[in-house]
Amino acid sequence: MSLRLDPRADASIGLRLAVSFASGLVALLIVAIPVMAAGGNPFSAYLLMAQGAFGSMFALSETLNRATPLILTGLAAAIAFRARLWNIGAEGQLYMGALAAVLVGSGFLQLPPALMIPAIMIAGFLAGGLMMVVPTILKQRFGADEVVITLLLNFVVILFVQMLIEGPLKDPLAMGWPQSVPLLAEARFDKLIPRLRTHWGLLVGLLAAILLWLMVRKTVLGFEIKAVGENKAAARFAGIPVDGTMLKVALISGGLAGLAGVGEVAGVKFYLSADLSPGFGYSGIVVAMLAGLSPIGSVLAAIFIAAVFVGADSMSRATGISSYIADLVVALSLLCVLVGSFFLRFRLILDNRKAEA
């Protein structure tokens, strides 16, 4: 008697989302152990987390505000991973998008007010996209590993941003605080709800998810991305321009991460600083994996992760349990998704046949 692994047929999107949902529940069950070790009641802690994330209009606004950049960085990772292009640089691409938005929207360029918001969005998209196109070209021409390049570029970009906000972009009215000059009023996103922080960047993220879903499902480019992700050699033999498809994916992926940076400076802070992102680019990878690389699923996964972080802060103030429990939930959710993805690809078969002599 022995166990063997047999490949499964392609799992449906519904089944993948079900695995992601179950992974989140399993992660919450596992996290109950350290919660109890800290002297808390898991049911009370999770109830407080839910109330802190959705229990009031203010809480819901904070959750959606936190989810907005996660939707875009999740989409950035999802579209790249579909083509087997491993974009680990969404954090740096986010900062480049934010930097481009500040350069265009703070008065360095004289533009009509009506064109200011479209201009900063285009600039942010192109800046983030370029940060992914360059590693992709290096991969195609020299066989460079895009994982290493995109990961290291995160640190290069953040140091570059720090240099600029301490130098030529520093706001002289910030009383020495390291931040850039602010965006002009016409370059800022309006609030969706008065006196709350949710802004039009959320609609940008939702629209991007819908457009990406339509592209993947209904367009030739979507078919080419799937073919390249499944088998590059077969796609090239079938006449699909593999290198061109990869460059398009790189531009879209980096551009979406750049839009996340635009949303943070145009909708939340209105200036660029080194602490603009608490890791939205890295969390976007978790969002994409939880969503099974689904654009629509990325929206739901982003809201889940945002709710965990926002709710954990509220729960921590009420119970004294560390808010770092949120990082544990997210990490375990990712691990559970990876395990679930393995069993989506393979099934365990109990083989009762006797080994031949």
Side-chain angles (χ1 to χ4, degrees), residues 123-145:
F125 183 91
L126 293 177
L130 182 62
M131 287 297 298
M132 189 58 204
V133 167
V134 171
T136 305
I137 293 175
L138 294 176
K139 173 185 174 71
Q140 293 173 346
R141 297 296 177 87
F142 305 106
D145 189 340

Side-chain angles (χ1 to χ4, degrees), residues 21-36:
F21 179 76
S23 299
L25 291 180
V26 172
L28 291 175
L29 290 175
I30 297 175
V31 170
I33 298 173
V35 170
M36 289 188 292

